[in-house]
Amino acid sequence: MVSNKMQSSLDDLVQYTQLFKPVATIFQGTVFPFLIIYPVVFYSWIFVYGFEENFEAGFVTVAVIAVIQILICLCCYWSVHIQCFLSCSAVKDPLQAEIVKVVPTSNNGFSEIVRLHHTKSTKRGSLNPDIWFMFQKSKYIYDWEKKIFHTIEFPTNKTYEEYMESKGFCDDEAIELAEKEFSKNDMVMVVPEFMELFKERATAPFFVFQVFCVALWCLDKYWYYSIFTLVMLVMFECTLVQQQLRNMAEIRKMGNKPYNINVYRNRRWRQIMSDQLLPGDIVSLTRSANDNLVPCDIALLRGSCIVDESMLTGESVPQMKEAIENEKNHSQTLDPEGAGKLHTLFGGTKIVQHSSPSKNVSSGLKAPDNGCIGYVIRNGFNTSQGKLLRTILFGVKRVTANNLETFGFILFLLIFAIAAAAYVWIKGCEDPERNRYKLFLECTLILTSVVPPELPIELSLAVNTSLLSLSKLAVFCTEPFRIPFAGKVEICCFDKTGTLTSDNLVVEGVAGIGDHKDATVIPLSEAPIETIQVLASCHSLVQLEDGLVGDPLEKATLKAAEWNLTKGDAVVPKKGKSPGLKIVHRNHFASALKRMSVIAGYQVNERGFLENHYISSVKGAPETIKTMLKEVPSHYDHVYLTLSRRGARVLALGYRNLGKLSSQELRELAREDIESDLTFVGFVIISCPLKSDSKKAIAEIVNASHAVAMITGDNPLTACHVAKELKFTQKVEMLILTEENGIWGWKSIDETFNMPLQPFKTSKGLTSKFDLCITGEGLSFLNEYHNKFLIDLMPHIKVYARFAPKQKEFVILTLKSLGYVTLMCGDGTNDVGALKHADVGVAILANAPERPRERVREERSQEVEPRRPPANRAEARQATRDDTTARLRHVIRQMEEEEHLQLVRLGDASVAAPFTSRLSSILCICHIIKQGRCTLVTTLQMFKILALNALILAYSQSVLYIDGIKFSDTQATLQSLLLASCFLFISRSKPLKHLSKQRPLPNIFNVYTIITVLTQFMVHFLCLIYLVHEATIRSPGRDPKPKLDMDLADDEERQFSPDLLNSTVYIISMALQISTFAINYRGEPFMEGLRDNKPLLYSIVVSGGVVLALAAGIFPDLSNMFEIVYFPPDYRLVLVQVLIADMVFAYLVDRLCLWLFGESRH
């Protein structure tokens, strides 16, 4: 039997699965209990308590139960887990199960309930059926032996021999079986219907909450305005759905378009459509015509290709792909993501050039179109391109801030709302005449107005504003929920080559040859011919129609050597008598081997005959080449170490004359033979100048209290030099972890200073005095033997040098596990793992411009529509929400204008990272952190302001409402207008030009936020109570039991007569709202201060002036307009003093809380 719940993660995508069988509708948790509850309630209402006598109570009870049932049904819709609990029964046997609950790993989409399929087994002789399900376009099949589900196993890890011997599918039965197992090479994305998407949005918890509020307002006789609100909400959601549909249609275009391709099936070549391909097919590939892309992931068996992979990795340098048949060792297995990358063509990439397989090989297939022969290893959504599309389709969470914190915040506010509602209920019940139904309605209205319905809108606005700003700065983001993380970043890690240093390499010359025993660099024009031959032949460059393509470093060396490459892989000197060289065989550069080698041939005229002579030329890291030399010069180490310390890139060159060889002998030469007994012909010195913005950006990041580290595959000495130049290192001495005679220890860069591995009792002694650098080998050693010491050092190491891609990933994962929020910035190819795992991964596309092209933009002036004053209290309450909606419409319009910018296209986003910069400058890191901080702080201050407003509202709607204090409709309108305009200007605040030294608080729930909200509320509360008390003393003739709104008969009009108490409370509630905005606007050091945010400043100053003028009674006409009564002079003085005191004390307590618990203490 299958274990009901498999806790261990199945793969990168699925956390666990659970099997279920649906229950009959009548027995489901959403129906069965209510079949008992409703009859009981109706029986009690009609026969026990009496229908007429308790009409209101009965009606309220039934309404509450109906709302609970609707809520439970919605919970099933919102949560897969609740749905399984209430409407399914768990089963152990996969044969009985009909559905399966699939829970994905974090940030990989949402849990789903999917159908379980039972089909005839595709394995011969298997008695058990195939049990499988589809989740996020991936097929998971049940393994009867291991009792778990797993993804289909594609033929990606066979030996080279198995691939070479494959003859494709031999009969229709095999094709049919493969089609059942793997399904076709479809990449069809179904764009859902409008109604389907709208239903999903309309059932979102907050939307339901807003509809519920509208329904309540309708019951309160304010139906006209409520319907208007509902229409606005629905229109807003429709606009979002339209946008989503457009985005999906755009993503749909990213899939490959099918075209005719030659495939070897049933022992002959035939043409089929590329979407019919199956893993195991043998296909013929030619240069991509009409923009036809490689249809799926294919292992290259024969022939060679040059492929443009920029749409997958963002790497603009075309890659060489070699055939498996050229490999010497055919017993090794293919690893498409590792060393086998050289033999793998990835789906979605473009073949720029192909070389047909050599004619002389009798074995192996030959295609009718003379293309390269390949073996399909993965198809459909399981290819590299498919995985990227799946990330874009499913991996992206909705644009929201931290949902758990938002929920906690609402619960915090709800406590006060419930207290206020309870007060109204208890006080209201003291009068036996009072209508209970209207009282209950009033209490629910208090609950709904305390939790602000505009909260989700406010939160997503902050993130959306950042998304737009980043896209204008040429930074694209596939996972918007990561933007607030950028505000919390603690450690920033950078790759060196291509990220900090530019790709415009300068070849300075060669060193270490002839009489030059010191580190003198001589120009290439003076170098011996052997050195030049190695430089001219040992590379992976290719000549295409549109010029030379390949690694910028190799382009620079070939150009400096003054040789040309022809289309037939031959290199000839531009001038001079040296014979041209034909490249016969390449052993490509591998980061694990740190070297590359080439066999090249040249023709020599011997007694009138042209003879072919061969040489092997090798280049690589100096420490690797050292072991391959016939004899190592005495000055070898001294020269390369001295030059590395200067920050130059040093490659050692080796040469060996192989003499005459037959083609058979050539084929049998192993890589080890080519790369041994070499003659040393010098070091080539290449300097990588820093990018123009690197210094400025790093200085800003370090100044902003972020730790910085460099993770590179380059030499430790070169890396340390760059780190010193960019001021990664602040201390006097930098130590490198090195091994001598089997003993590991710390050594200074100039080797004048040595220390044992653990020189102090604690690691702190070491990290406080020195900057540290470790190599990949050092990491492996420490990880194995001194793990705790390594973990203590990790956050303080400044340079990680000679690191393989997997080790880069290890660094990021370790830092994350230690609780640091990490940012990784690299150039999309070898940094993929690290970029994916970092909290904020930023891929900088290689060979992109450093600065954007200037764009001229016309700004449209916004016309403000005149408003109609609302007719009653609900309208006033509503004006704020309308303003929010109007603001959202504006943002949506803006997003539509920017749509070509905001939507991430393939090639814009590299597979590598959630953030991709289209510019090659690392200034984008500063932009991302600025926007992250701005979003974080905006959300935080929104929460503070909404919380304070909600608390003040709870008090005024309960205690003051029962005392008969109310506002006129004009007053309420003016107040809500003020509130809406302040909110509008707050969410538009922009980040400052420079990052501040302080970092913002990372969470909503922190001591500072909670204490400042409560203490400010206490200050406002005391002032309010004091003024109400003062005004009551001065209003002797006031009715102690005023008639409330809810006591009015249905046909009675609401009367408003201004008195001292009403006017006082109105003035102070206006003043409280203004001071809330003025005091809690965070501003500097994270975003524009109040002085720079002019619209907000003006709205606060003007409203503040109006309130003071009303309190002081300066303009009688203004007081009449606001329906404010005349204040006696002594009371006027008290009122103005209290208002000023309230503002001052609220400001002081907030600043005191900030000083005690704010960012500086964090």
Side-chain angles (χ1 to χ4, degrees), residues 710-723:
M710 187 192 295
I711 315 180
T712 175
D714 210 344
N715 177 316
L717 294 169
T718 313
C720 289
H721 174 81
V722 173

Side-chain angles (χ1 to χ4, degrees), residues 137 189 248 251 381 388-396:
K137 310 278 186 192
M189 280 155 277
M248 285 184 156
I251 292 171
F381 277 96
L388 174 59
L389 287 178
R390 287 213 316 250
T391 304
I392 296 174
L393 280 172
F394 304 108
V396 183

Side-chain angles (χ1 to χ4, degrees), residues 43 76 148 152 162 208 352 513 543 560 614 691 734 776 826 906 943 946-947 1005 1060 1074 1133 1157:
Y43 176 79
C76 288
I148 57 165
I152 319 169
E162 286 175 273
V208 171
V352 187
I513 33 177
Q543 189 72 40
Y614 293 96
K691 286 186 181 165
M734 177 117 191
L906 272 179
F943 275 120
L946 288 169
F1005 278 104
L1060 189 69
I1074 295 162
L1133 191 64
F1157 313 108

Side-chain angles (χ1 to χ4, degrees), residues 806-1038:
K806 270 276 172 261
Q807 290 176 313
K808 291 186 178 186
E809 204 174 306
F810 173 81
V811 172
I812 297 291
L813 287 170
T814 310
L815 289 172
K816 271 178 76 178
S817 67
L818 291 172
Y820 291 95
V821 180
T822 50
L823 175 144
M824 172 73 194
C825 174
D827 53 354
T829 39
N830 53 355
D831 307 319
V832 173
L835 289 167
K836 267 274 177 241
H837 289 290
D839 293 297
V840 180
V842 186
I844 287 184
L845 298 192
N847 297 36
E850 280 190 35
R851 293 209 163 53
R853 294 180 198 88
E854 290 303 313
R855 229 194 242 109
V856 184
R857 266 231 171 91
E858 298 162 26
E859 290 294 337
R860 277 184 222 154
S861 60
Q862 294 291 314
E863 287 162 23
V864 182
E865 295 173 23
R867 282 173 178 270
R868 177 186 65 76
N872 46 44
R873 187 163 68 106
E875 294 199 11
R877 223 183 245 163
Q878 197 49 39
T880 326
R881 275 142 212 172
D882 279 1
D883 238 68
T884 312
T885 318
R887 172 157 45 115
L888 267 155
R889 303 290 307 260
H890 170 63
V891 169
I892 294 277
R893 203 176 309 118
Q894 228 182 333
M895 284 174 78
E896 281 170 9
E897 286 170 17
E898 298 284 346
E899 198 176 277
H900 65 286
L901 276 174
Q902 204 224 334
L903 181 70
V904 183
R905 292 191 170 80
L906 272 179
D908 275 349
S910 62
V911 208
F915 292 91
T916 309
S917 169
R918 301 296 289 157
L919 303 173
S920 68
S921 154
I922 61 160
L923 272 176
C924 65
I925 302 294
C926 300
H927 296 316
I928 290 169
I929 294 176
K930 273 179 221 160
Q931 290 296 349
R933 284 183 176 190
C934 193
T935 306
L936 200 61
V937 173
T938 306
T939 345
L940 222 72
Q941 73 192 13
M942 293 260 193
F943 275 120
K944 274 163 59 184
I945 293 167
L946 288 169
L948 275 166
N949 282 339
L951 294 181
I952 295 164
L953 203 66
Y955 177 72
S956 57
Q957 279 198 341
S958 54
V959 181
L960 302 180
Y961 174 73
I962 288 288
D963 287 347
I965 298 169
K966 52 191 171 186
F967 301 155
S968 77
D969 296 332
T970 323
Q971 287 177 341
T973 310
L974 291 163
Q975 188 178 5
S976 53
L977 269 177
L978 157 79
L979 195 67
S981 63
C982 287
F983 259 129
L984 169 62
F985 301 132
I986 261 196
S987 67
R988 306 317 301 271
S989 43
K990 298 182 186 72
L992 290 176
K993 295 256 188 309
H994 293 286
L995 284 169
S996 65
K997 202 163 181 60
Q998 276 178 316
R999 291 210 307 264
L1001 293 163
N1003 312 67
I1004 298 169
F1005 278 104
N1006 50 60
V1007 183
Y1008 162 65
T1009 308
I1010 291 173
I1011 289 187
T1012 188
V1013 166
L1014 293 176
T1015 49
Q1016 283 185 62
F1017 176 62
M1018 284 311 295
V1019 171
H1020 297 327
F1021 186 60
L1022 291 171
C1023 293
L1024 196 58
I1025 286 180
Y1026 175 70
L1027 281 177
V1028 169
H1029 172 69
E1030 287 291 313
T1032 315
I1033 295 170
R1034 290 176 170 77
S1035 315
R1038 199 166 184 276

